[in-house]
Amino acid sequence: MKKILVTGGLGFIGSHTVVELQNEGFEVVIIDDLSNSSVTVLDGIVSITGIKPEFIKLDLKDKPAVINFFNTHQNIAGVIHFAASKAVGESVENPLLYYENNITTLIYVLQALEKHKIPNFIFSSSCTVYGQADELPITENAPIKKAESPYGNTKQIGEEIIQDVCKISENLNAIALRYFNPVGAHPSTKIGELPIGTPQNLVPYITQTAIGLREQLSVFGDDYNTPDGTAIRDYIHVVDLAKAHVAALQRLIANHSGGSTYETFNIGTGTGSSVLEVIQSFEKVSGKKLNYKIVGKREGDITAAYAHTRKVNDILGWKAQLTLEDAMRDAWKWEQKIRS
Ligand code: UD1
């Protein structure tokens, strides 16, 4: 059984990926500093899969602790590196925190990979690297645009660091997955998103408004150049996204011809939905009317982004199976469960 280290494995995307890895027969070790997650997520994972992954509470900024972890955990076949901060607004206010949290930790993990000759690495990147792309849907060859925020910049810099390491490494196969907009929750309602404070992202804001935690959703702008005037994104169910990591890992493991490789893949559904369409979808699956109002645009927001998915379909054999409605239904079930 191959052992996979998942950093940030108790977070939203990390925990769903742990479940899919276990379902596919991988042994999982989780590192998480619990800065934006809870140890109770482990119970959720166990109640879905029946398997308790090894968990080590560890801050990846603590270099001696990282070195010690890898010295005492042999036979790690691959690393999926989720651990990072991801609040765009916070990154604008505290850029150094973001460079420290997202870049230093990546460096320490890559140093350990080199030292222990761990050959497989998956990095959580984001479609934010494309900015407002000139052509839609967005292919992996679309130019990288100047980042709108320090958070976005950490993803661009992270990808560059990995590419540079692959150039000199004897045997490092790396994949950067560029996520579009991850939403939803596990259909079992055992794990899901746990935003701390006021959610910045659309879907948790919708479900928190519907449950009564927030008074009203602000729709940021209705004068975009789109059919209904609201901005368009590619909302991908977190379970589909988790499965994309397993597909990427299987490609890396099968790819051991020696030498190093670096690839990027878009992880989205290929379909764009406007903010109003997301609200309608929520209202349909929940049977509730959502209280919302149109306000001004949010600074830094782009008009439209959705993925071209041919590369990931062809090479990883992965395709999103779940719809926006599935995601809204699961997000709503999860919201009701955690507030009950
Ligand atoms: C945001 C980040 C992106 C990050 C991603 C991670 C910004 C500018 N971008 O993407 O870098 O990778 O989260 O999940 O923060 N909306 C509303 N009202 C709200 C919240 C959102 O109308 O209260 C709209 C936004 O204007 C946008 C859409 O909903 O059009 C999706 O927003 P969000 O969920 O925050 O994702 P992104 O902005 O696409």
Side-chain angles (χ1 to χ4, degrees):
M1 200 192 277
K2 289 216 180 318
K3 198 193 281 183
I4 306 300
L5 169 64
V6 181
T7 75
L10 297 183
F12 176 42
I13 306 170
S15 58
H16 288 81
T17 301
V18 169
V19 166
E20 297 307 322
L21 287 168
Q22 291 182 329
N23 284 344
E24 291 300 316
F26 290 98
E27 182 185 343
V28 177
V29 183
I30 295 174
I31 286 180
D32 202 299
D33 69 356
L34 302 179
S35 61
N36 196 17
S37 60
S38 159
V39 78
T40 59
V41 174
L42 267 181
D43 302 331
I45 293 170
V46 177
S47 66
I48 297 169
T49 63
I51 306 163
K52 188 161 188 177
E54 184 180 350
F55 166 61
I56 291 112
K57 180 173 184 288
L58 193 156
D59 180 352
L60 289 171
K61 295 194 293 300
D62 182 347
K63 189 170 182 179
V66 175
I67 291 171
N68 181 53
F69 170 84
F70 281 94
N71 284 339
T72 52
H73 285 78
Q74 303 297 324
N75 306 322
I76 291 175
V79 177
I80 307 183
H81 181 51
F82 292 103
S85 300
K86 60 160 196 166
V88 175
E90 186 186 38
S91 81
V92 173
E93 273 152 33
N94 201 343
L96 291 175
L97 179 76
Y98 270 64
Y99 290 115
E100 183 183 30
N101 284 355
N102 294 5
I103 303 296
T104 347
T105 53
L106 172 65
I107 293 170
Y108 295 162
V109 171
L110 289 171
Q111 285 171 335
L113 256 60
E114 285 293 281
K115 181 173 168 205
H116 295 274
K117 304 202 182 318
I118 298 169
N120 301 308
F121 184 67
I122 297 175
F123 178 62
S124 297
S125 190
S126 166
C127 69
T128 192
V129 301
Y130 301 119
Q132 179 57 68
D134 301 323
E135 281 174 41
L136 294 169
I138 304 173
T139 72
E140 288 81 354
N141 292 329
I144 303 299
K145 296 262 174 86
K146 187 172 165 32
E148 288 277 355
S149 68
Y151 159 76
N153 209 17
T154 66
K155 294 301 173 189
Q156 297 189 3
I157 295 169
E159 287 200 18
E160 286 174 7
I161 291 172
I162 298 162
Q163 284 181 72
D164 287 342
V165 176
C166 283
K167 278 183 203 147
I168 52 94
S169 177
E170 278 169 21
N171 189 7
L172 179 62
N173 290 323
I175 287 180
L177 297 180
R178 293 174 176 161
Y179 313 153
F180 280 68
N181 288 58
V183 292
H186 199 271
S188 66
T189 67
K190 304 289 187 193
I191 54 175
E193 197 168 1
L194 289 167
I196 294 174
T198 310
Q200 306 301 313
N201 296 113
L202 178 63
V203 173
Y205 209 105
I206 289 177
T207 55
Q208 288 197 7
T209 305
I211 205 98
L213 227 60
R214 315 273 154 210
E215 207 184 312
Q216 191 174 48
L217 170 79
S218 296
V219 173
F220 299 139
D222 70 346
D223 55 354
Y224 282 103
N225 184 18
T226 61
D228 66 20
T230 63
I232 290 177
R233 298 289 185 273
D234 184 339
Y235 296 90
I236 169 93
H237 196 296
V238 65
V239 172
D240 276 331
L241 174 57
K243 288 180 176 167
H245 292 77
V246 179
L249 184 65
Q250 278 158 345
R251 173 169 174 81
L252 291 174
I253 290 169
N255 211 359
H256 274 181
S257 50
S260 294
T261 57
Y262 174 77
E263 292 174 301
T264 56
F265 294 100
N266 286 341
I267 307 297
T269 64
T271 302
S273 305
S274 72
V275 177
L276 291 181
E277 284 170 339
V278 174
I279 293 171
Q280 279 155 16
S281 171
F282 174 78
E283 289 182 335
K284 184 173 167 199
V285 301
S286 68
K288 281 178 92 84
K289 206 90 206 97
L290 191 77
N291 182 19
Y292 71 89
K293 69 161 187 269
I294 311 285
V295 301
K297 285 178 179 160
R298 179 170 69 179
E299 207 186 312
D301 270 355
I302 56 166
T303 303
Y306 50 95
H308 203 302
T309 57
R310 190 170 53 217
K311 184 179 177 193
V312 69
N313 293 168
D314 287 355
I315 298 181
L316 293 189
W318 172 90
K319 216 181 176 68
Q321 305 290 331
L322 300 166
T323 63
L324 177 63
E325 278 188 18
D326 294 325
M328 299 311 287
R329 189 177 300 114
D330 291 335
W332 180 230
K333 277 198 307 191
W334 170 248
E335 186 73 60
Q336 290 170 289
K337 146 121 192 253
I338 57 176
R339 307 299 166 196
S340 66

